Amino acid sequence: MAFLTSNTPLDVVKHLVLIAGAGLLLVLGFFYVYLPMSTHHGETITVPKVTGMNVADLEAYLDERNLNYFVDDSSYSPNIRPFTVLVQDPAPGEKVKEGRKIYLQVSMKNPPVIKMPKLTDGSSKNAMLILKSYDLVVGQIQLVPDLASGAVLKQLVNGKEIAAGAPIAKGTKVDLVVGDGQGNQTFAVPNLIDMPEDEAITLLVGQGLQKGEVFEQPAEAGQTPGTVVRQRPTYGPDATIRMGQLVDIWVAK
């Protein structure tokens, strides 16, 4: 005949302690064993330097390091190869988790198009500052006779006037026609014949004139190679020229 035995209060306490202990082990195992193994808790990757690299090379390079990238900005510079990484975030050397995205700023292939600023009626000094602020390049500054000393009279691109507001690509060279403050003052045409080419050009600049075209022609009898054999406008007792005017020369070779 079997006898039924009842659990004593002490047995109940022991069972509860065993159940609580098993539960605690499960919780600790989940947080300190399973999670670290499944999420690589505590493991970090050092961010490599990718600035200066081409975007086309990043896919394989970052895949090997378990990292990703995203291009979120771009800018243009004529001196930098297109699609070159300019800025990265996070910075090189920072510690990140596996799979982290690196955000990039990349150089553009084509310059952005902007509106041409108005430079005329202002000073040439102010025009240069405006061009720089618009990422445009200051080209040639041509002085012409005009009483408005230092004032921009024309703005040119490739020899043609460009109006304010016209579309223009960043990095474009803009030439300026500037008044010399002399008006229509005239003086005698200098005689450049038989002068060495470099001395003739120096003389023109010193007298407020500009070098025009330089043509070469075979030296004839009595002519010294490297010297000016012809000029336009021609020299003569009654020949006059205005400040800032162009002078073309022919040089014997």
Side-chain angles (χ1 to χ4, degrees):
M1 183 176 184
F3 294 94
L4 295 174
T5 59
S6 60
N7 290 331
T8 65
L10 181 59
D11 292 332
V12 173
V13 172
K14 287 180 179 180
H15 291 156
L16 291 176
V17 170
L18 288 174
I19 294 172
L24 180 61
L25 287 174
L26 287 173
V27 171
L28 293 176
F30 178 79
F31 283 103
Y32 291 97
V33 178
Y34 174 75
L35 279 182
M37 289 179 65
S38 61
T39 63
H40 302 283
H41 181 70
E43 293 183 15
T44 57
I45 299 174
T46 301
V47 176
K49 181 179 182 292
V50 296
T51 53
M53 293 182 62
N54 193 280
V55 173
D57 302 326
L58 288 182
E59 190 83 35
Y61 182 78
L62 292 178
D63 273 352
E64 293 176 357
R65 292 156 177 79
N66 296 317
L67 294 170
N68 298 309
Y69 74 91
F70 180 75
V71 178
D72 68 344
D73 196 8
S74 60
S75 63
Y76 176 77
S77 174
N79 302 318
I80 298 178
R81 187 180 58 175
F83 308 117
T84 298
V85 178
L86 304 175
V87 180
Q88 68 177 85
D89 181 32
E94 289 192 24
K95 303 291 185 180
V96 298
K97 287 187 177 181
E98 203 173 283
R100 170 67 185 271
K101 279 186 180 178
I102 300 178
Y103 294 90
L104 308 175
Q105 178 183 329
V106 176
S107 61
M108 300 170 62
K109 181 178 180 181
N110 298 313
V113 176
I114 58 175
K115 290 183 178 180
M116 177 67 196
K118 184 178 186 298
L119 307 176
T120 52
D121 299 329
S123 70
S124 57
K125 183 177 181 180
N126 187 54
M128 292 179 194
L129 293 175
I130 294 174
L131 289 175
K132 184 177 181 181
S133 69
Y134 276 72
D135 291 328
L136 298 170
V137 179
V138 179
Q140 292 185 344
I141 298 179
Q142 178 184 352
L143 293 176
V144 297
D146 196 279
L147 294 176
S149 178
V152 178
L153 306 177
K154 295 180 182 179
Q155 50 196 41
L156 311 172
V157 172
N158 296 326
K160 297 181 179 179
E161 284 195 63
I162 180 170
I168 184 172
K170 284 190 176 184
T172 300
K173 185 180 293 185
V174 179
D175 302 323
L176 304 176
V177 177
V178 179
D180 62 5
Q182 301 295 324
N184 291 320
Q185 179 179 345
T186 60
F187 53 92
V189 174
N191 183 13
L192 308 177
I193 305 302
D194 295 331
M195 293 182 65
E197 179 183 352
D198 56 346
E199 292 183 14
I201 293 173
T202 300
L203 177 62
L204 289 176
V205 174
Q207 294 195 5
L209 299 172
Q210 295 190 72
K211 179 190 75 173
E213 297 287 341
V214 177
F215 303 97
E216 295 182 357
Q217 66 180 48
E220 299 178 358
Q223 295 177 342
T224 302
T227 60
V228 178
V229 295
R230 181 183 166 195
Q231 67 180 72
R232 182 174 59 201
T234 58
Y235 167 76
D238 298 323
T240 59
I241 193 170
R242 292 195 308 272
M243 187 79 70
Q245 192 170 333
L246 295 172
V247 178
D248 300 326
I249 58 175
W250 281 255
V251 179
K253 294 293 181 182

mmCIF file of all heavy atoms in Angstrom, residues 14-41:
data_model
loop_
_atom_site.group_PDB
_atom_site.id
_atom_site.type_symbol
_atom_site.label_atom_id
_atom_site.label_comp_id
_atom_site.label_asym_id
_atom_site.label_seq_id
_atom_site.Cartn_x
_atom_site.Cartn_y
_atom_site.Cartn_z
ATOM 1 N N LYS A 14 12.877 25.188 -1.360
ATOM 2 C CA LYS A 14 13.977 24.689 -2.194
ATOM 3 C C LYS A 14 13.607 24.732 -3.674
ATOM 4 O O LYS A 14 14.399 25.126 -4.526
ATOM 5 C CB LYS A 14 14.309 23.257 -1.789
ATOM 6 C CG LYS A 14 15.026 23.130 -0.444
ATOM 7 C CD LYS A 14 15.308 21.667 -0.149
ATOM 8 C CE LYS A 14 16.058 21.513 1.191
ATOM 9 N NZ LYS A 14 16.349 20.107 1.504
ATOM 10 N N HIS A 15 12.349 24.314 -3.963
ATOM 11 C CA HIS A 15 11.914 24.340 -5.355
ATOM 12 C C HIS A 15 11.888 25.764 -5.932
ATOM 13 O O HIS A 15 12.297 26.003 -7.067
ATOM 14 C CB HIS A 15 10.522 23.718 -5.475
ATOM 15 C CG HIS A 15 10.520 22.239 -5.232
ATOM 16 N ND1 HIS A 15 9.401 21.541 -4.813
ATOM 17 C CD2 HIS A 15 11.506 21.296 -5.324
ATOM 18 C CE1 HIS A 15 9.691 20.267 -4.657
ATOM 19 N NE2 HIS A 15 10.979 20.094 -4.978
ATOM 20 N N LEU A 16 11.400 26.677 -5.098
ATOM 21 C CA LEU A 16 11.353 28.077 -5.549
ATOM 22 C C LEU A 16 12.757 28.623 -5.809
ATOM 23 O O LEU A 16 12.997 29.369 -6.764
ATOM 24 C CB LEU A 16 10.621 28.933 -4.517
ATOM 25 C CG LEU A 16 9.117 28.670 -4.377
ATOM 26 C CD1 LEU A 16 8.527 29.512 -3.243
ATOM 27 C CD2 LEU A 16 8.393 29.003 -5.684
ATOM 28 N N VAL A 17 13.681 28.251 -4.929
ATOM 29 C CA VAL A 17 15.071 28.723 -5.100
ATOM 30 C C VAL A 17 15.664 28.154 -6.383
ATOM 31 O O VAL A 17 16.354 28.843 -7.137
ATOM 32 C CB VAL A 17 15.924 28.329 -3.877
ATOM 33 C CG1 VAL A 17 17.407 28.595 -4.152
ATOM 34 C CG2 VAL A 17 15.471 29.098 -2.654
ATOM 35 N N LEU A 18 15.381 26.856 -6.670
ATOM 36 C CA LEU A 18 15.891 26.242 -7.889
ATOM 37 C C LEU A 18 15.317 26.911 -9.139
ATOM 38 O O LEU A 18 16.028 27.154 -10.121
ATOM 39 C CB LEU A 18 15.556 24.750 -7.887
ATOM 40 C CG LEU A 18 16.341 23.876 -6.903
ATOM 41 C CD1 LEU A 18 15.797 22.446 -6.903
ATOM 42 C CD2 LEU A 18 17.823 23.877 -7.249
ATOM 43 N N ILE A 19 13.995 27.183 -9.074
ATOM 44 C CA ILE A 19 13.344 27.845 -10.225
ATOM 45 C C ILE A 19 13.927 29.244 -10.440
ATOM 46 O O ILE A 19 14.223 29.662 -11.566
ATOM 47 C CB ILE A 19 11.824 27.915 -10.012
ATOM 48 C CG1 ILE A 19 11.235 26.493 -10.024
ATOM 49 C CG2 ILE A 19 11.167 28.779 -11.080
ATOM 50 C CD1 ILE A 19 9.785 26.430 -9.632
ATOM 51 N N ALA A 20 14.102 29.995 -9.333
ATOM 52 C CA ALA A 20 14.666 31.354 -9.436
ATOM 53 C C ALA A 20 16.093 31.300 -9.966
ATOM 54 O O ALA A 20 16.508 32.134 -10.786
ATOM 55 C CB ALA A 20 14.620 32.039 -8.065
ATOM 56 N N GLY A 21 16.877 30.326 -9.489
ATOM 57 C CA GLY A 21 18.252 30.203 -9.960
ATOM 58 C C GLY A 21 18.321 29.889 -11.437
ATOM 59 O O GLY A 21 19.150 30.445 -12.179
ATOM 60 N N ALA A 22 17.437 28.978 -11.898
ATOM 61 C CA ALA A 22 17.411 28.639 -13.323
ATOM 62 C C ALA A 22 17.016 29.853 -14.168
ATOM 63 O O ALA A 22 17.581 30.119 -15.232
ATOM 64 C CB ALA A 22 16.440 27.497 -13.562
ATOM 65 N N GLY A 23 16.036 30.610 -13.669
ATOM 66 C CA GLY A 23 15.616 31.811 -14.393
ATOM 67 C C GLY A 23 16.725 32.835 -14.480
ATOM 68 O O GLY A 23 16.943 33.482 -15.517
ATOM 69 N N LEU A 24 17.470 32.989 -13.361
ATOM 70 C CA LEU A 24 18.574 33.958 -13.352
ATOM 71 C C LEU A 24 19.654 33.554 -14.337
ATOM 72 O O LEU A 24 20.221 34.398 -15.045
ATOM 73 C CB LEU A 24 19.141 34.057 -11.928
ATOM 74 C CG LEU A 24 20.314 35.026 -11.742
ATOM 75 C CD1 LEU A 24 19.878 36.458 -12.105
ATOM 76 C CD2 LEU A 24 20.839 34.982 -10.311
ATOM 77 N N LEU A 25 19.928 32.226 -14.393
ATOM 78 C CA LEU A 25 20.934 31.752 -15.338
ATOM 79 C C LEU A 25 20.511 32.009 -16.781
ATOM 80 O O LEU A 25 21.333 32.375 -17.633
ATOM 81 C CB LEU A 25 21.173 30.251 -15.122
ATOM 82 C CG LEU A 25 21.964 29.859 -13.855
ATOM 83 C CD1 LEU A 25 21.998 28.344 -13.706
ATOM 84 C CD2 LEU A 25 23.370 30.429 -13.912
ATOM 85 N N LEU A 26 19.211 31.822 -17.057
ATOM 86 C CA LEU A 26 18.720 32.096 -18.406
ATOM 87 C C LEU A 26 18.868 33.562 -18.785
ATOM 88 O O LEU A 26 19.272 33.910 -19.895
ATOM 89 C CB LEU A 26 17.256 31.673 -18.520
ATOM 90 C CG LEU A 26 16.983 30.163 -18.564
ATOM 91 C CD1 LEU A 26 15.484 29.892 -18.506
ATOM 92 C CD2 LEU A 26 17.594 29.544 -19.810
ATOM 93 N N VAL A 27 18.501 34.439 -17.832
ATOM 94 C CA VAL A 27 18.604 35.890 -18.089
ATOM 95 C C VAL A 27 20.051 36.285 -18.319
ATOM 96 O O VAL A 27 20.397 37.027 -19.269
ATOM 97 C CB VAL A 27 17.992 36.697 -16.927
ATOM 98 C CG1 VAL A 27 18.298 38.194 -17.099
ATOM 99 C CG2 VAL A 27 16.493 36.463 -16.853
ATOM 100 N N LEU A 28 20.949 35.815 -17.423
ATOM 101 C CA LEU A 28 22.368 36.162 -17.565
ATOM 102 C C LEU A 28 22.942 35.591 -18.861
ATOM 103 O O LEU A 28 23.727 36.263 -19.543
ATOM 104 C CB LEU A 28 23.155 35.630 -16.362
ATOM 105 C CG LEU A 28 22.840 36.287 -15.009
ATOM 106 C CD1 LEU A 28 23.609 35.596 -13.880
ATOM 107 C CD2 LEU A 28 23.191 37.767 -15.045
ATOM 108 N N GLY A 29 22.542 34.393 -19.209
ATOM 109 C CA GLY A 29 23.034 33.798 -20.450
ATOM 110 C C GLY A 29 22.579 34.562 -21.673
ATOM 111 O O GLY A 29 23.323 34.722 -22.644
ATOM 112 N N PHE A 30 21.323 35.069 -21.624
ATOM 113 C CA PHE A 30 20.796 35.825 -22.761
ATOM 114 C C PHE A 30 21.566 37.125 -22.972
ATOM 115 O O PHE A 30 21.946 37.469 -24.092
ATOM 116 C CB PHE A 30 19.310 36.117 -22.537
ATOM 117 C CG PHE A 30 18.686 36.927 -23.635
ATOM 118 C CD1 PHE A 30 18.314 36.321 -24.837
ATOM 119 C CD2 PHE A 30 18.470 38.287 -23.480
ATOM 120 C CE1 PHE A 30 17.737 37.069 -25.845
ATOM 121 C CE2 PHE A 30 17.907 39.029 -24.485
ATOM 122 C CZ PHE A 30 17.532 38.418 -25.679
ATOM 123 N N PHE A 31 21.763 37.863 -21.857
ATOM 124 C CA PHE A 31 22.390 39.181 -21.977
ATOM 125 C C PHE A 31 23.913 39.125 -22.112
ATOM 126 O O PHE A 31 24.505 39.999 -22.739
ATOM 127 C CB PHE A 31 22.023 40.054 -20.768
ATOM 128 C CG PHE A 31 20.624 40.604 -20.839
ATOM 129 C CD1 PHE A 31 19.601 40.053 -20.072
ATOM 130 C CD2 PHE A 31 20.308 41.648 -21.693
ATOM 131 C CE1 PHE A 31 18.312 40.549 -20.140
ATOM 132 C CE2 PHE A 31 19.019 42.150 -21.765
ATOM 133 C CZ PHE A 31 18.014 41.598 -20.986
ATOM 134 N N TYR A 32 24.539 38.154 -21.506
ATOM 135 C CA TYR A 32 26.006 38.157 -21.482
ATOM 136 C C TYR A 32 26.637 37.107 -22.396
ATOM 137 O O TYR A 32 27.847 37.111 -22.585
ATOM 138 C CB TYR A 32 26.514 37.944 -20.048
ATOM 139 C CG TYR A 32 26.227 39.116 -19.154
ATOM 140 C CD1 TYR A 32 25.110 39.125 -18.331
ATOM 141 C CD2 TYR A 32 27.053 40.232 -19.159
ATOM 142 C CE1 TYR A 32 24.827 40.209 -17.520
ATOM 143 C CE2 TYR A 32 26.782 41.319 -18.356
ATOM 144 C CZ TYR A 32 25.664 41.313 -17.533
ATOM 145 O OH TYR A 32 25.401 42.388 -16.733
ATOM 146 N N VAL A 33 25.836 36.215 -22.981
ATOM 147 C CA VAL A 33 26.395 35.212 -23.882
ATOM 148 C C VAL A 33 25.754 35.303 -25.266
ATOM 149 O O VAL A 33 26.433 35.521 -26.275
ATOM 150 C CB VAL A 33 26.207 33.783 -23.301
ATOM 151 C CG1 VAL A 33 26.759 32.748 -24.294
ATOM 152 C CG2 VAL A 33 26.897 33.656 -21.956
ATOM 153 N N TYR A 34 24.411 35.164 -25.319
ATOM 154 C CA TYR A 34 23.736 35.148 -26.610
ATOM 155 C C TYR A 34 23.827 36.488 -27.346
ATOM 156 O O TYR A 34 24.221 36.553 -28.508
ATOM 157 C CB TYR A 34 22.279 34.742 -26.428
ATOM 158 C CG TYR A 34 21.467 34.853 -27.704
ATOM 159 C CD1 TYR A 34 21.618 33.907 -28.718
ATOM 160 C CD2 TYR A 34 20.587 35.925 -27.910
ATOM 161 C CE1 TYR A 34 20.902 34.021 -29.895
ATOM 162 C CE2 TYR A 34 19.880 36.040 -29.082
ATOM 163 C CZ TYR A 34 20.035 35.080 -30.075
ATOM 164 O OH TYR A 34 19.332 35.197 -31.242
ATOM 165 N N LEU A 35 23.442 37.593 -26.665
ATOM 166 C CA LEU A 35 23.458 38.905 -27.321
ATOM 167 C C LEU A 35 24.847 39.305 -27.806
ATOM 168 O O LEU A 35 24.997 39.749 -28.944
ATOM 169 C CB LEU A 35 22.878 39.972 -26.386
ATOM 170 C CG LEU A 35 21.353 40.064 -26.329
ATOM 171 C CD1 LEU A 35 20.924 41.187 -25.410
ATOM 172 C CD2 LEU A 35 20.763 40.269 -27.718
ATOM 173 N N PRO A 36 25.885 39.184 -26.959
ATOM 174 C CA PRO A 36 27.216 39.536 -27.460
ATOM 175 C C PRO A 36 27.632 38.722 -28.672
ATOM 176 O O PRO A 36 28.270 39.228 -29.590
ATOM 177 C CB PRO A 36 28.128 39.261 -26.260
ATOM 178 C CG PRO A 36 27.254 39.429 -25.079
ATOM 179 C CD PRO A 36 25.915 38.894 -25.510
ATOM 180 N N MET A 37 27.263 37.437 -28.705
ATOM 181 C CA MET A 37 27.643 36.605 -29.835
ATOM 182 C C MET A 37 26.877 36.979 -31.099
ATOM 183 O O MET A 37 27.410 36.952 -32.212
ATOM 184 C CB MET A 37 27.395 35.127 -29.502
ATOM 185 C CG MET A 37 28.364 34.563 -28.473
ATOM 186 S SD MET A 37 27.991 32.834 -28.094
ATOM 187 C CE MET A 37 28.318 32.064 -29.677
ATOM 188 N N SER A 38 25.615 37.346 -30.947
ATOM 189 C CA SER A 38 24.787 37.635 -32.118
ATOM 190 C C SER A 38 24.974 39.055 -32.635
ATOM 191 O O SER A 38 24.750 39.333 -33.803
ATOM 192 C CB SER A 38 23.304 37.397 -31.800
ATOM 193 O OG SER A 38 22.873 38.258 -30.759
ATOM 194 N N THR A 39 25.370 39.987 -31.788
ATOM 195 C CA THR A 39 25.506 41.393 -32.206
ATOM 196 C C THR A 39 26.939 41.866 -32.204
ATOM 197 O O THR A 39 27.204 43.038 -32.462
ATOM 198 C CB THR A 39 24.687 42.318 -31.271
ATOM 199 O OG1 THR A 39 25.231 42.220 -29.946
ATOM 200 C CG2 THR A 39 23.235 41.917 -31.248
ATOM 201 N N HIS A 40 27.890 40.980 -31.931
ATOM 202 C CA HIS A 40 29.302 41.361 -31.866
ATOM 203 C C HIS A 40 29.500 42.512 -30.879
ATOM 204 O O HIS A 40 30.227 43.470 -31.155
ATOM 205 C CB HIS A 40 29.812 41.769 -33.252
ATOM 206 C CG HIS A 40 29.647 40.688 -34.280
ATOM 207 N ND1 HIS A 40 30.472 39.596 -34.348
ATOM 208 C CD2 HIS A 40 28.711 40.516 -35.262
ATOM 209 C CE1 HIS A 40 30.082 38.798 -35.334
ATOM 210 N NE2 HIS A 40 29.003 39.336 -35.895
ATOM 211 N N HIS A 41 28.816 42.428 -29.739
ATOM 212 C CA HIS A 41 28.888 43.471 -28.723
ATOM 213 C C HIS A 41 30.335 43.711 -28.302
ATOM 214 O O HIS A 41 31.062 42.780 -28.004
ATOM 215 C CB HIS A 41 28.052 43.072 -27.503
ATOM 216 C CG HIS A 41 28.061 44.110 -26.422
ATOM 217 N ND1 HIS A 41 27.418 45.312 -26.579
ATOM 218 C CD2 HIS A 41 28.639 44.114 -25.193
ATOM 219 C CE1 HIS A 41 27.588 46.023 -25.478
ATOM 220 N NE2 HIS A 41 28.328 45.311 -24.631
#
